[in-house]
Amino acid sequence: MASEEQNESTITQAPFGKTPDGREATLYTLTNKNGVTVKITNYGGIVASILAPDKAGNIEDIVLGYDQVYGYIPNDPYFGALIGRFGNRIAKGKFYLDGKEYTLATNNGPNHLHGGPAGFHTVFWDVEELPQQNALKLTYTSQDGEEGYPGTLTTTVVYTLTDDNSLLIAYEATTDKPTPVNLTNHSYFNLSAGKTQDVLSHVATIDADRYTVVDDSFIPTGELRPVADGPMDFTSPKVIGTEIEDVEGNGYDHNYVINDYDGSLKKIASVYEPTSGRVLEVESTLPGVQFYTGNFLNGSLTGKGGQVYIQRAGFCLETQDFPDAPNQPSFPNTILRPGEIYKATTVYSFSTREK
Ligand code: GLA
């Protein structure tokens, strides 16, 4: 490969193995002119790899996942997956909408989590290559009643790899009956590319003065509590491990309320890893972000290249609407109605710095 000459961006495909029901999954590889590579499979719309340079120029994989599709079945941690119809939890799998009660599939104690057991992370998406934009357009039509949700929901997700080393994720959905929608991507990052086995030495910043307080089944109480100066505070850069033991619960697994939310695309978080110099910046149009530090990983899963995923092997910044919003009148609306278009954009950008 010529190092001086800029390569063109490319999209290629390869087989990614079979699911237990015998369906072939495909792995699509997007590469930009800097050699940054993002691999996405049609199964679950999963981002299976992101290869980005460290400060010395070594291009390595910075997300958790598997070498073959069968690794993702079941994908209990939701590695890299598209999440829908509703990311995060809906209390007891129930909500009222226009005077009618709906009951969803439950899969997290009494609650509905991440769209249910057969959520968008488990389905095959149709994929269209958009070579002009170095993008993939994924489409999935969720039938009326799927996982208990009303209405036929058509969702498109466009993953674009830009030449400035950003992965842009543009979500759109339309429905024929009112239904809750809250789409996200559940990638787990380890910016050291696994050289630090956990992410406790990463340095995180989140532009949020408040978070949604939850009860012991992770359902919001409705309170938006100031992060104050305590362990929840990431308004200025903080090493993730510094106060993690003081967090209520099992580590960070909280929805942060983005400051000055107005629906425009703006920077909401960044994470820096000192040994590699890698920096992840996150921009989003959404009002919340679930900062999750892989607390439920426990060393029982072995992923790409034989890497054992110990507790806190990766972190997620799941851009989202607020958990349980269909049951929380004070939270921003998450009901999509016929004739409306759900739209959200999140951008993950990869760079490096010396210190
Ligand atoms: C989200 C949830 C967590 C957990 C993970 C997946 O981040 O908030 O509680 O379910 O997904 O393990």
Side-chain angles (χ1 to χ4, degrees):
M1 200 196 298
S3 54
E4 293 290 310
E5 280 296 299
Q6 301 271 286
N7 297 312
E8 291 302 312
S9 47
T10 56
I11 305 179
T12 60
Q13 355 178 327
F16 197 47
K18 282 186 183 160
T19 54
D21 58 1
R23 286 189 72 173
E24 275 285 355
T26 302
L27 189 66
Y28 296 82
T29 299
L30 305 177
T31 304
N32 75 6
K33 65 178 189 183
N34 310 317
V36 169
T37 294
V38 175
K39 299 186 186 191
I40 291 161
T41 174
N42 53 346
Y43 178 76
I46 291 169
V47 176
S49 296
I50 298 176
L51 294 125
D54 68 5
K55 62 186 173 190
N58 302 307
I59 295 188
E60 296 165 311
D61 199 341
I62 57 168
V63 290
L64 277 49
Y66 299 100
D67 292 315
Q68 288 283 324
V69 74
Y70 57 74
Y72 291 98
I73 300 168
N75 187 4
D76 289 333
Y78 305 89
F79 285 146
L82 290 180
I83 304 294
R85 292 185 193 189
F86 200 96
N88 217 302
R89 292 169 180 81
I90 295 181
K92 305 202 165 50
K94 291 197 185 291
F95 63 94
Y96 281 90
L97 176 53
D98 299 339
K100 189 168 172 222
E101 187 182 47
Y102 292 90
T103 302
L104 304 173
T106 54
N107 57 338
N108 189 242
N111 301 322
H112 173 89
L113 175 65
H114 292 332
F120 290 4
H121 62 291
T122 68
V123 304
F124 275 89
W125 294 70
D126 289 331
V127 179
E128 186 188 343
E129 295 184 13
L130 305 174
Q132 303 278 317
Q133 292 105 292
N134 205 26
L136 300 175
K137 180 179 180 182
L138 283 70
T139 304
Y140 176 66
T141 302
S142 169
Q143 298 304 323
D144 190 0
E146 196 172 284
E147 298 297 80
Y149 288 103
T152 310
L153 186 78
T154 302
T155 301
T156 63
V157 179
V158 179
Y159 283 115
T160 304
L161 176 62
T162 69
D163 277 335
D164 59 1
N165 299 353
S166 295
L167 175 62
L168 190 148
I169 312 178
Y171 303 88
E172 280 196 19
T174 55
T175 185
D176 60 5
K177 287 183 191 162
T179 188
V181 180
N182 183 16
L183 305 175
T184 193
N185 176 277
H186 209 301
S187 288
Y188 287 65
F189 297 93
N190 180 321
L191 301 179
S192 79
K195 295 201 179 64
T196 66
Q197 276 210 298
D198 63 41
V199 293
L200 295 177
S201 56
H202 289 48
V203 184
T205 313
I206 305 173
D207 186 20
D209 293 339
R210 294 172 300 167
Y211 68 102
T212 51
V213 178
V214 288
D215 67 16
D216 52 17
S217 75
F218 293 89
I219 297 299
T221 61
E223 183 191 353
L224 307 184
R225 187 177 292 169
V227 295
D229 283 332
M232 298 303 291
D233 186 3
F234 284 94
T235 52
S236 49
K238 183 161 77 186
V239 175
I240 291 174
T242 316
E243 294 175 298
I244 197 166
E245 299 307 332
D246 302 330
V247 175
E248 267 181 61
N250 192 21
Y252 296 102
D253 191 356
H254 295 81
N255 173 59
Y256 281 79
V257 177
I258 300 306
N259 290 336
D260 306 318
Y261 162 69
D262 61 6
S264 66
L265 184 69
K266 58 182 174 188
K267 184 168 162 184
I268 61 155
S270 63
V271 182
Y272 166 66
E273 197 284 305
T275 59
S276 64
R278 287 194 185 89
V279 178
L280 167 69
E281 293 198 341
V282 186
E283 290 167 275
S284 183
T285 59
L286 288 165
V289 64
Q290 187 84 1
F291 179 47
Y292 172 58
T293 44
N295 312 313
F296 295 123
L297 300 175
N298 61 10
S300 63
L301 301 175
T302 301
K304 286 177 279 184
Q307 186 99 27
V308 174
Y309 295 138
I310 65 167
Q311 192 184 36
R312 302 182 179 140
F315 68 87
C316 304
L317 285 162
E318 305 155 50
T319 57
Q320 61 183 1
D321 269 284
F322 296 177
D324 197 36
N327 293 309
Q328 307 259 356
S330 64
F331 288 177
N333 171 57
T334 53
I335 303 301
L336 181 72
R337 295 182 180 275
E340 298 174 344
I341 306 177
Y342 168 97
K343 282 190 185 188
T345 302
T346 294
V347 184
Y348 294 106
S349 300
F350 311 103
S351 58
T352 59
R353 64 175 209 244
E354 278 307 313
K355 272 190 206 160

